[in-house]
């Protein structure tokens, strides 16, 4: 079951490489959140109640409901679901992301570390590098934020791969930080939109 | 103790965002600083005791807490003048003061953290509150700087989190308390901890203002109010260093010590080189100071990389630089107000406008370019000595040449500002000579340190570095 969920997670990464609409990005990030919710639920059933509630809150409530709704209301609805300009042709991104996923597989199987769970580790590394790739090739702040969210999802999977427990206070602090960082990023994207455009090329006034 | 401090901070933060009276807002900030002072003293007294829990400072934490306390006090004091002279509204002041207290609380929390995850959470909180401080002026440039800072810093701190995850793999199921990790460090897998250190150094470089993620740090110091620039160059740089130091503290008991030192040396020299290239090019006083901070951050890493001879030098250099740079940022804020510009070509003849301000700038120049009697001269001298002891003559040569560029750029620009009359320089405001006294006091500490070095400071640094290899 978990393998299937991880494969679907990989497919969302490939779809993200060629997505052209803001809505598609948002929906895919929400789907990733949902997948993470199912994975965590299956994986962590044995945990104590508070940890479980906290992690489910992070995945289901925040990643699937609150953030996508917030992004939709504050960014997409206002700007009318603009198409995202692709600097690199879709087929190249498709190839790059496929290569990233392939090498993540290869890396995870080569590590032979008993501490890590190969499935999660593959998904995590693939998500982190896909997020970084999307940030590098896109020139709009909206897609940059999406890239950041993909990296966040990758880090979440990485923590599952390792299975190292952190104290509840630390988990709570991390959750609060991640949540507020996305909200604040969203608020500033909104401000940028009011000022000029959301194209990174316009943000070049600060220089020597 | 720490719990009471955080509860008090929380109450003050909520009140600060709610009040619309400027006087109450500023008073609350100083009440908060009194709590911070109390925290510093109580943590100092607890230093030799074995306290468990998530929040308890070691010797280095206490030292940086005091640095944070002093710079915060002067920064808050100067912000009152900044807000008054720019006719800031009550709402803008409340938002700034609220974010300022969150920022300082996040920094002090990071300094107190005994758990790696907690340290990360406070670092991220400092990014979020720092963004609000940069956006103070609400104009296009501050928005650009804020966005870049927020975004790149979030990515950086997330990469740092990946570093923590790799550490967790190497540590197996050991709880991520620093003391536990130090104990099991020798059994850790070398590949994982090397990967972890690369991620941590890359991610937290954003906080320390070094290669590779230094650019947003420069933009942030340029676009934010000068008291905020002082905080970014002092306490935030210390916390960035501490974040990297914590991992060094764990991994130094493994076989990768030499490899880490080489990596720090490379990063330090590269930071120095890039800062030298940009400082020659810039025509903006605040950016010049920001590049100078990057230079000193590079020097700190170079000193630290020399191992046992350089640990004390690096920490001392960091502390003295924090004071000198905070003083200079505050004074440059006054220059900015007088000429309504930070550009070199729009300022000049400052000595006629403010002799006390000019003396402060000259004293600051002396301190920051490490001329005797500056304390930084002493630390740089010790740095070269430790490099020579470790046989790295070619590094001595490179660093000395790069330092010449900094001295040239800083002296040229400061002399232009103070002594050369510039017909394009328009004097918009007169200044009160007493305003320059607080920055002069900060710079004075650095200058006096070159003559008299207090024993208690040296002994507390020695206590801090006891955990590192002898």
């Amino acid at each position: 079951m978990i393998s299937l969920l991880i494969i679907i997670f990989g497919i969302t990464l490939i779809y993200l490489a060629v997505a052209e609409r803001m809505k598609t990005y948002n929906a895919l990030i929400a789907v990733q959140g949902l997948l993470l919710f199912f994975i965590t639920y299956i994986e962590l059933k044995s945990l104590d109640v508070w940890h479980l509630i906290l992690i489910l809150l992070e995945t289901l409530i925040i990643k699937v409901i609150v953030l996508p709704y917030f992004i939709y209301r504050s960014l997409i609805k206002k700007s009318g679901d603009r198409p995202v300009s692709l600097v690199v042709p879709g087929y190249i991104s498709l190839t790059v992301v496929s290569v990233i996923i392939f090498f993540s597989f290869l890396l995870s199987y080569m590590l032979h570390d008993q501490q890590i769970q190969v499935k999660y580790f593959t998904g995590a590394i693939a998500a982190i590098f896909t997020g970084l790739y999307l940030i590098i090739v896109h020139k709009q702040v909206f897609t940059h934020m999406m890239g950041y969210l993909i990296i966040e999802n990758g880090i979440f999977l990485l923590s599952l791969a390792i299975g190292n427990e952190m104290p509840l206070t630390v988990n709570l602090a991390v959750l609060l930080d991640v949540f507020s960082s996305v909200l604040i990023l969203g608020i500033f994207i909104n401000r940028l939109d009011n000022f000029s455009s959301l194209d990174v090329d316009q943000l070049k006034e600060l220089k020597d | 103790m720490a719990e009471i401090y955080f509860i008090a901070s929380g109450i003050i933060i909520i009140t600060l965002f709610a009040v619309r009276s400027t006087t109450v807002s500023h008073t609350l900030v100083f009440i908060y600083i009194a709590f911070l002072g109390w925290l510093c003293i109580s943590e100092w007294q607890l230093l030799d005791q074995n306290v468990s829990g998530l929040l308890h400072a070691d010797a280095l934490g206490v030292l940086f807490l005091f640095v944070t306390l002093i710079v915060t006090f002067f920064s808050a004091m100067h912000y009152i003048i900044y807000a008054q002279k720019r006719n800031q509204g009550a709402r803008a002041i409340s938002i700034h003061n609220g974010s300022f207290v969150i920022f300082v609380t996040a920094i002090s929390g990071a300094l107190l953290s005994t758990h790696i995850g907690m340290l990360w959470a406070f670092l991220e909180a400092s990014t979020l509150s720092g963004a609000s401080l940069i956006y103070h002026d609400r104009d296009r440039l501050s928005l650009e700087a804020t966005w870049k800072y927020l975004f790149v810093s979030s990515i950086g701190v997330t990469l740092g989190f990946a570093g923590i995850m790799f550490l967790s793999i190497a540590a197996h199921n050991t709880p991520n308390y620093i003391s536990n990790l130090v104990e099991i460090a020798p059994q850790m897998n070398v590949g994982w901890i090397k990967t972890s250190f690369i991620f941590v150094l890359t991610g937290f470089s954003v906080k320390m203002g070094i290669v590779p993620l230094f650019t947003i740090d420069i933009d942030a110091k340029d676009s934010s109010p000068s008291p905020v620039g002082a905080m970014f160059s002092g306490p935030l740089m210390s916390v960035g260093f501490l974040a990297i130091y914590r991992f060094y503290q764990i991994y130094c008991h493994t076989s990768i010590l030499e490899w880490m030192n080489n990596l720090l040396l490379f990063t330090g020299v590269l930071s120095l080189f890039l800062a030298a290239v940009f400082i020659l090019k810039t025509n903006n006083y605040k950016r010049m100071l920001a590049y100078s901070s990057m230079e000193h951050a590079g020097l700190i890493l170079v000193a630290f990389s020399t191992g046992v001879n350089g640990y004390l030098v690096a920490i001392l250099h960091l502390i003295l630089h924090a004071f000198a740079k905070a003083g200079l940022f505050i004074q440059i804020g006054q220059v900015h107000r007088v000429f309504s510009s930070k550009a070199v070509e729009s300022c000049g003849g400052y000595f006629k406008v403010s002799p006390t301000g000019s003396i402060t700038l000259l004293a600051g120049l002396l301190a920051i370019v490490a001329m005797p009697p500056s304390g930084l001269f002493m630390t740089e001298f010790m740095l070269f000595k430790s490099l020579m002891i470790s046989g790295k003559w070619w590094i001595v040569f490179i660093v000395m040449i790069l330092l010449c560029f900094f001295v040239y750029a800083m002296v040229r620009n400061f002399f232009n500002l103070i002594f050369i009359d510039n017909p394009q320089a328009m004097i918009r405001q007169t200044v009160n000579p007493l305003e320059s006294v607080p920055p002069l006091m900060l710079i004075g500490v650095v200058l006096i340190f070159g003559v008299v070095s207090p024993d208690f400071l040296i002994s507390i640094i020695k206590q801090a570095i006891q955990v590192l290899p002898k």
Side-chain angles (χ1 to χ4, degrees):
Chain A
M1 182 64 183
I2 284 183
S3 300
L4 182 70
L5 293 172
I6 294 284
I7 290 168
I8 301 173
F9 187 85
I11 293 171
T12 62
L13 290 179
I14 293 172
Y15 195 177
L16 277 163
V18 288
E20 285 184 14
R21 298 226 154 243
M22 289 164 96
K23 254 187 194 168
T24 321
Y25 276 95
N26 200 25
L28 284 170
I29 298 287
V31 170
Q32 284 195 349
L34 197 64
L35 291 169
L36 291 179
F37 162 70
F38 284 124
I39 294 169
T40 336
Y41 185 72
I42 297 166
E43 178 69 19
L44 300 176
K45 264 183 190 165
S46 55
L47 266 182
D48 68 275
V49 181
W50 284 111
H51 266 103
L52 199 63
I53 291 176
L54 190 73
I55 292 169
L56 297 186
L57 184 81
E58 181 175 354
T59 50
L60 193 64
I61 309 290
I62 295 181
K63 284 187 192 286
V64 182
I65 301 168
V66 180
L67 290 181
Y69 179 73
F70 168 75
I71 291 166
Y72 177 74
R73 279 297 300 270
S74 63
L75 303 173
I76 301 175
K77 204 174 171 189
K78 206 176 121 204
S79 57
D81 191 22
R82 276 181 293 205
V84 174
S85 58
L86 295 176
V87 184
V88 176
Y91 70 91
I92 294 185
S93 292
L94 199 63
T95 318
V96 172
V97 173
S98 308
V99 169
I100 288 175
I101 293 175
F102 175 73
F103 275 105
S104 308
F105 258 119
L106 217 60
L107 179 74
S108 309
Y109 277 97
M110 275 162 56
L111 285 173
H112 297 300
D113 195 308
Q114 288 183 338
Q115 174 71 16
I116 53 170
Q117 298 210 29
V118 174
K119 278 178 282 194
Y120 298 147
F121 196 78
T122 309
I125 297 293
I128 292 171
F129 283 101
T130 305
L132 285 174
Y133 171 75
L134 288 181
I135 290 171
I136 292 165
V137 297
H138 279 280
K139 288 203 162 186
Q140 279 166 313
V141 286
F142 176 79
T143 17
H144 282 185
M145 184 168 153
M146 293 296 124
Y148 171 66
L149 288 176
I150 298 167
I151 296 175
E152 279 291 344
N153 285 345
I155 296 283
F156 187 88
L157 264 184
L158 191 60
S159 59
L160 276 183
I162 293 153
N164 191 2
E165 287 240 347
M166 292 214 184
L168 195 64
T169 333
V170 178
N171 264 333
L172 202 65
V174 171
L175 172 65
L176 192 72
D177 275 344
V178 171
F179 180 58
S180 29
S181 68
V182 177
L183 287 190
I184 294 173
L185 278 169
I187 291 167
F188 277 105
I189 290 190
N190 222 334
R191 293 264 157 89
L192 279 172
D193 205 12
N194 294 341
F195 257 93
S196 55
S197 82
L198 290 177
D199 199 319
V200 179
D201 284 339
Q202 303 284 323
L203 299 174
K204 280 187 176 165
E205 282 188 41
L206 281 171
K207 57 186 173 197
D208 292 298
Chain B
M1 295 290 179
E3 288 77 10
I4 301 171
Y5 164 75
F6 282 103
I7 293 167
S9 306
I11 296 168
I12 291 174
I13 290 162
I14 293 166
T15 325
L16 273 170
F17 281 113
V19 293
R20 286 292 175 266
S21 156
T22 311
T23 321
V24 176
S25 183
H26 289 315
T27 314
L28 280 170
V29 172
F30 283 94
I31 293 173
Y32 166 76
I33 293 173
F35 269 106
L36 182 62
W38 171 74
L39 175 80
C40 291
I41 292 166
S42 53
E43 285 296 325
W44 189 18
Q45 284 166 345
L46 286 173
L47 210 52
D48 297 325
Q49 291 171 31
N50 210 354
V51 184
S52 59
L54 284 168
L55 299 162
H56 169 57
D58 62 352
L60 192 63
V62 169
L63 209 55
F64 287 170
L65 268 178
F66 275 102
V67 173
T68 307
L69 172 71
I70 295 166
V71 178
T72 302
F73 176 76
F74 283 99
S75 172
M77 203 156 85
H78 191 72
Y79 180 72
I80 299 175
I81 304 169
Y82 183 91
Q84 203 180 29
K85 299 282 179 182
R86 285 172 180 253
N87 297 322
Q88 294 291 329
R91 188 168 169 269
I93 292 174
S94 295
I95 294 174
H96 171 88
N97 283 345
S99 310
F100 185 77
V101 173
I102 301 177
F103 182 70
V104 182
T105 309
I107 286 179
S108 45
L111 297 175
L112 289 170
S113 297
T114 56
H115 189 281
I116 291 288
M118 206 64 187
L119 172 71
W120 182 88
F122 279 119
L123 283 175
E124 177 68 6
S126 74
T127 299
L128 302 176
S129 47
S132 171
L133 293 176
I134 302 165
Y135 191 49
H136 183 275
D137 289 348
R138 307 279 188 277
D139 57 11
R140 206 184 151 85
L141 284 181
S142 64
L143 181 62
E144 185 183 328
T146 309
W147 166 258
K148 286 179 176 171
Y149 184 79
L150 197 56
F151 184 71
V152 179
S153 197
S154 297
I155 298 283
V157 176
T158 307
L159 291 179
F161 196 77
I164 295 175
M165 291 291 130
F166 294 130
L167 164 64
S168 297
I169 299 176
H172 293 275
N173 283 323
T174 313
N176 283 358
Y177 285 94
I178 295 159
S179 51
N180 295 113
L181 293 169
V182 169
E183 273 171 34
I184 63 138
Q187 288 121 49
M188 289 182 187
N189 177 302
V190 171
W192 284 122
I193 56 176
K194 276 187 178 175
T195 317
S196 161
F197 195 71
I198 290 172
F199 270 78
V200 165
L201 191 62
T202 310
F204 297 148
S205 68
V206 81
K207 296 281 164 200
M208 204 181 159
I210 46 168
V211 169
L213 301 177
F214 66 93
T215 49
I216 51 148
D217 201 55
I218 307 288
D219 291 345
K221 285 170 189 157
D222 175 22
S223 306
S224 57
S226 45
V228 176
M231 293 300 291
F232 274 57
S233 280
L236 192 68
M237 197 211 243
S238 315
V239 108
F241 172 78
L242 185 108
I244 298 166
Y245 170 90
R246 289 291 182 227
F247 287 83
Y248 186 93
Q249 185 186 344
I250 298 165
Y251 301 151
C252 68
H253 301 288
T254 67
S255 58
I256 69 161
L257 177 64
E258 197 54 40
W259 176 85
M260 278 197 300
N261 284 339
N262 288 336
L263 191 63
L264 290 178
L265 180 67
F266 175 73
T267 314
V269 174
L270 195 59
S271 301
L272 268 169
F273 173 74
L274 287 175
V277 170
F278 285 114
I279 204 168
L280 288 172
K281 205 177 143 201
T282 192
N283 66 344
N284 172 327
Y285 284 110
K286 280 172 95 179
R287 289 182 87 82
M288 183 185 74
L289 291 183
Y291 285 121
S292 156
S293 294
M294 187 177 159
E295 168 219 344
H296 286 281
L299 283 176
I300 290 160
L301 287 192
V302 172
F304 205 75
S305 73
T306 57
V308 64
N309 297 312
Y311 297 142
L312 187 137
V313 182
I315 294 167
L316 196 56
H317 194 92
L318 185 70
I319 295 167
L320 294 176
H321 167 261
F323 292 145
K325 196 49 69 63
L328 274 171
F329 259 109
I330 291 174
Q331 192 54 43
I332 279 293
Q334 194 194 69
V335 173
H336 185 193
R337 212 174 67 229
V338 168
F339 297 106
S340 253
S341 173
K342 301 173 272 187
V344 173
E345 62 269 12
S346 313
C347 305
Y350 185 56
F351 199 85
K352 288 179 189 159
V353 186
S354 171
T356 36
S358 301
I359 290 167
T360 308
L361 279 184
L362 285 173
L365 179 67
L366 207 64
I368 212 75
V369 298
M371 288 289 156
S374 168
L376 291 174
F377 168 76
M378 205 177 70
T379 50
E380 283 185 18
F381 181 77
M382 280 151 56
L383 158 68
F384 287 124
K385 194 179 147 196
S386 57
L387 276 172
M388 287 171 191
I389 291 171
S390 41
K392 290 169 178 151
W393 284 92
W394 56 282
I395 298 286
V396 174
F397 181 69
I398 294 172
V399 172
M400 275 188 171
I401 290 191
L402 291 174
L403 286 183
C404 292
F405 290 116
F406 290 104
V407 175
Y408 167 72
M410 302 273 293
V411 171
R412 180 193 62 185
N413 288 339
F414 271 35
F415 275 36
N416 272 338
L417 169 67
I418 297 168
F419 300 116
I420 310 289
D421 283 330
N422 182 353
Q424 285 176 324
M426 306 288 282
I427 298 160
R428 315 273 177 183
Q429 273 188 31
T430 52
V431 286
N432 182 349
L434 289 175
E435 260 182 49
S436 298
V437 175
L440 190 60
M441 282 164 70
L442 279 169
I443 294 163
V445 170
V446 182
L447 293 178
I448 291 168
F449 199 89
V451 188
V452 205
S453 45
D455 288 340
F456 73 92
L457 183 65
I458 303 293
S459 69
I460 199 167
I461 298 178
K462 281 185 176 162
Q463 189 183 343
I465 59 175
Q466 261 176 4
V467 290
L468 300 176
K470 304 277 182 309

